[in-house]
Amino acid sequence: MKIRLLCSIMLLVSVSCFATTYTWTNASGDPNHAFTQFSNWTPAVPAAGFTIADEFRIDLSGDQYSEIFEDTIGGKLFSGYGSNKIGELYVTGGVSNFESNFMAGRGTTSNGYLFVNGGEITFLKSYFTIGESGTGNFNISDGTVKTNRFNMANKAGSISNVVVSGGLVDISTYLRCGMTGTASLVMSGGQIKTGSYMLVGENLGSSGTVELSGGRIDITELLTIGNSGQAFLSIDGSAGQIQCGQLAINEQSTIQLNIDGAAIFGNPITVTTTDSTLPGNFDPNFTSGTERGGSYVAVAALQNKILTSEPNVATTAFAAGWTSQTVNVGAGQAVLLTHPHYGNNVAWTGGSSQLWSNAANWSTSLDSNDAAVIDLAGTSGAILDSTAACSGLVVGSAANGSLNVNTGANASFGSLVVADTNASSGSLTVSDGTMNVASTAFIGSGGNASFTMNGGAFYAGNLVAAFNADSTADILIGNNAVVDIDGIAGLGANAKLTLSGHQATAEFGTLTAAEGSEINFVLDGALGVGNGLVVNGDVVMNGAINIGFIDNAAVDSTYTVLRSTGKINDNTDGKLVKTPFVTYALVQDGDYHTLQVTVFSPENCQEVIDGGMGLSADINQDCRVNIADFAELASQWLLCNDPQQCN
């Protein structure tokens, strides 16, 4: 045993003693600039090759760059190590493991570059620093970088520039963007994941900027925009996505929303677990020439609270008229930034015919900046079978209104409200054609709303059903209809969503359903509901799910009714599915978390009991709880035959 221990100690010492610091020379003239070409380093690399304790310094650039395209190992890796030096490193292939850390821009006034467009490189036991004392530059378009900690602009005067257009940056703990210096993260694609937190603008005097026009940032715990320093986050909600456990913005920092009023803006910052206080500023800005009224969701908390009731709005452009508020959405809350319609409220009169395109049916000319208000229903309601575009649409404002969208329709609105006030009701039916809502569709804002999809396609940034406590929403998606909600779908306490048949398609960004809400799946026998309800983020279920069959033709089987790329949170204590003789389970299926239901159709009472679905109070096991069970209980009331307990 002593000999074995001594050998182990000697082995550790030998590894430490034989650790070597290598400097890149590209002396071999290798046209591939291969990192693994031993003759490109000084001192000479032994025949056994690199070890996990070795250190590598790259202070050459341009035609002298170094490239990793096959497997290698090492300890520390530097690009731009010496003062006033420039280093360039490319990673294009292979799986490389470095036991310690990486630094770009290690020396004072140095400039270090790392380009990753393939392969995988790992620094799991230490940290990954872009801009340590000098300037660091990191560009990833493909491939994977894994690290324990990611630091940007580590020291005073340091500069960090990170560009992510593809690939994966997988961080087991944290990302600190702007620790003490100046940091910039520009993201147009790919994914960044952190196991703990992301902090932008950490210390006093630091500056952190994040511009997100595509791709996805996933943060398990906390996203902080401005800690002691100043931070700026710009997000294009038509493409970029951010999900975090909790969000914090300090007073001197800003979140800017770049809004294209002509397109779908439906990817708010999604907060999943913990309450958030947001004293910082929100800055909504329209892309030039696309100004449009609507309610744009900046932050959506799926099951928790946003403690700031009126978040600050500090716009740099189009400032007039913007309002902000924190509102209840589904089981959580959201920050709404609302811009009014630029034009007039134009009323539907239905005086000539029911066709939207007939100018005589409107109180005045309906222009693209106006809001269309329909307060007539039935045979006086509107029929849309042509092109339509305006800033907003209200179906049922102060009375009852209806709109039917039919073949030939191509409609585009900044916002949609069905049943706006408690004195109104609204009916929106889509039988064919296409409807686009750039911001948020409110189905049941204050009154009673019906939204039926019998075909056609409906696209919206966000969907809020049964918005206020007294409002109701009844949503039916059937036949070959397509409903695609980019961002949050929030079902209030009086909301009912029904997905019917295997040809209907419904896809949401995230889903939050309050207690009292219902989601009904009407299955088409063995065909089920096709892909069911697809969610591209987290799901929070506080309501109920009911299972039925078309024409009541039940087929016993297991069906997948909901699939999600995020988590499915069942907050009903195992009582999510209310339909008798239907059990459910949350099951991992490839990249999805799924909700699967199993239908069981017993033919008699004994099969009910044998299937484990008997009632606990059914004493005489006749599948009924009634006076006979009470009589059985009463006949033996207070009797005891336990030898150890009875007196």
Side-chain angles (χ1 to χ4, degrees):
M1 179 63 71
K2 290 182 179 180
I3 294 174
R4 200 174 288 174
L5 178 60
L6 178 61
C7 290
S8 298
I9 294 172
M10 290 179 66
L11 178 61
L12 290 172
V13 171
S14 66
V15 169
S16 177
C17 290
F18 288 113
T20 305
T21 298
Y22 294 105
T23 301
W24 175 258
T25 63
N26 200 35
S28 72
D30 172 21
N32 295 319
H33 306 87
F35 187 97
T36 51
Q37 178 67 43
F38 295 164
S39 57
N40 284 331
W41 297 94
T42 185
V45 181
F50 303 136
T51 75
I52 59 173
D54 291 336
E55 180 178 309
F56 303 89
R57 301 177 182 180
I58 301 171
D59 278 339
L60 295 176
S61 60
D63 292 339
Q64 306 299 313
Y65 68 86
S66 179
E67 182 173 346
I68 298 175
F69 51 79
E70 55 189 354
D71 298 356
T72 190
I73 61 172
K76 297 179 180 180
L77 178 59
F78 300 94
S79 175
Y81 180 86
S83 297
N84 302 310
K85 296 289 187 178
I86 301 177
E88 287 187 35
L89 173 64
Y90 288 78
V91 178
T92 58
V95 177
S96 302
N97 293 292
F98 289 82
E99 287 289 297
S100 186
N101 59 286
F102 172 80
M103 288 186 183
R106 170 67 176 82
T108 305
T109 65
S110 63
N111 213 326
Y113 292 85
L114 172 64
F115 301 93
V116 178
N117 56 17
E120 179 179 307
I121 189 165
T122 299
F123 306 91
L124 285 183
K125 291 188 177 179
S126 192
Y127 49 82
F128 182 87
T129 300
I130 305 298
E132 204 277 339
S133 296
T135 299
N137 305 276
F138 171 43
N139 187 312
I140 178 170
S141 57
D142 196 5
T144 300
V145 173
K146 294 182 178 180
T147 185
N148 181 270
R149 293 161 284 174
F150 191 144
N151 299 324
M152 296 174 61
N154 194 25
K155 296 182 180 178
S158 61
I159 298 173
S160 175
N161 300 302
V162 174
V163 178
V164 180
S165 57
L168 169 65
V169 181
D170 192 348
I171 310 162
S172 58
T173 53
Y174 62 71
L175 168 58
R176 299 158 79 181
C177 178
M179 293 174 61
T180 307
T182 301
S184 169
L185 168 59
V186 178
M187 191 170 181
S188 59
Q191 183 181 16
I192 295 176
K193 296 196 304 182
T194 73
S196 184
Y197 65 88
M198 176 175 174
L199 203 161
V200 185
E202 181 173 358
N203 295 307
L204 190 64
S206 66
S207 175
T209 299
V210 177
E211 298 181 23
L212 184 66
S213 61
R216 182 182 179 96
I217 299 176
D218 289 291
I219 304 155
T220 303
E221 297 177 6
L222 172 66
L223 169 60
T224 299
I225 308 300
N227 186 41
S228 296
Q230 187 174 27
F232 178 79
L233 168 62
S234 173
I235 178 171
D236 178 355
S238 62
Q241 301 179 56
I242 297 178
Q243 181 168 294
C244 57
Q246 181 184 11
L247 174 67
I249 319 169
N250 70 356
E251 290 85 348
Q252 65 262 39
S253 298
T254 300
I255 294 178
Q256 183 184 75
L257 283 83
N258 300 316
I259 302 169
D260 183 350
I264 299 296
F265 187 94
N267 284 320
I269 300 174
T270 303
V271 181
T272 59
T273 58
T274 309
D275 296 348
S276 299
T277 301
L278 311 175
N281 300 310
F282 288 93
D283 182 6
N285 280 271
F286 286 109
T287 304
S288 180
T290 68
E291 300 81 23
R292 222 173 195 182
S295 293
Y296 300 88
V297 180
V299 178
L302 297 188
Q303 59 183 332
N304 38 302
K305 294 181 179 179
I306 297 170
L307 303 177
T308 308
S309 60
E310 294 185 12
N312 297 326
V313 177
T315 58
T316 57
F318 310 111
W322 278 104
T323 60
S324 64
Q325 58 180 325
T326 296
V327 298
N328 295 323
V329 173
Q333 295 188 320
V335 173
L336 288 184
L337 304 179
T338 302
H339 197 284
H341 305 289
Y342 284 87
N344 302 311
N345 287 343
V346 180
W348 174 261
T349 63
S352 178
S353 70
Q354 290 185 266
L355 295 181
W356 177 290
S357 57
N358 191 334
N361 284 322
W362 298 98
S363 60
T364 186
S365 175
L366 179 63
D367 297 324
S368 60
N369 285 334
D370 294 331
V373 180
I374 300 174
D375 269 343
L376 293 174
T379 56
S380 298
I383 297 175
L384 177 57
D385 59 1
S386 59
T387 299
C390 56
S391 193
L393 169 64
V394 180
V395 181
S397 173
N400 300 335
S402 67
L403 171 65
N404 292 315
V405 179
N406 296 330
T407 302
N410 185 3
S412 176
F413 305 103
S415 62
L416 168 67
V417 177
V418 181
D420 191 20
T421 66
N422 58 11
S424 68
S425 65
S427 173
L428 172 62
T429 302
V430 179
S431 299
D432 203 350
T434 301
M435 178 180 285
N436 290 273
V437 179
S439 63
T440 302
F442 291 92
I443 309 300
S445 178
N448 301 320
S450 169
F451 175 32
T452 302
M453 293 288 300
N454 281 324
F458 180 84
Y459 304 96
N462 305 283
L463 172 69
V464 178
F467 179 47
N468 291 309
D470 295 331
S471 60
T472 65
D474 192 345
I475 302 172
L476 171 63
I477 305 171
N479 293 332
N480 61 346
V482 174
V483 174
D484 191 345
I485 308 301
D486 240 21
I488 187 172
L491 306 181
N494 299 316
K496 182 167 67 174
L497 168 65
T498 301
L499 187 64
S500 178
H502 70 279
Q503 293 180 314
T505 300
E507 186 168 346
F508 301 156
T510 56
L511 171 62
T512 172
E515 184 178 358
S517 66
E518 293 183 10
I519 300 180
N520 303 314
F521 293 96
V522 182
L523 309 179
D524 188 2
L527 295 174
V529 287
N531 285 330
L533 179 59
V534 178
V535 181
N536 296 313
D538 280 8
V539 175
V540 173
M541 297 300 303
N542 288 8
I545 286 179
N546 299 303
I547 304 298
F549 287 87
I550 294 176
D551 298 326
N552 293 318
V555 177
D556 289 4
S557 186
T558 297
Y559 303 88
T560 297
V561 296
L562 171 65
R563 66 187 74 230
S564 168
T565 59
K567 298 177 181 177
I568 300 178
N569 299 278
D570 177 9
N571 297 333
T572 66
D573 194 25
K575 300 176 181 178
L576 179 60
V577 177
K578 301 296 186 181
T579 308
F581 311 121
V582 176
T583 60
Y584 74 97
L586 300 178
V587 179
Q588 182 79 36
D589 184 6
D591 293 334
Y592 287 97
H593 293 89
T594 66
L595 173 64
Q596 297 182 357
V597 298
T598 298
V599 179
F600 168 57
S601 301
E603 295 184 357
N604 52 58
C605 178
Q606 191 58 49
E607 288 188 5
V608 172
I609 296 172
D610 292 343
M613 298 180 183
L615 302 171
S616 61
D618 181 17
I619 296 176
N620 62 1
Q621 294 195 327
D622 62 355
C623 294
R624 297 181 180 183
V625 178
N626 53 20
I627 193 65
D629 298 293
F630 178 76
E632 184 72 20
L633 178 66
S635 67
Q636 301 183 49
W637 184 251
L638 297 181
L639 295 180
C640 178
N641 60 2
D642 184 345
Q644 294 182 340
Q645 299 294 328
C646 301
N647 294 321

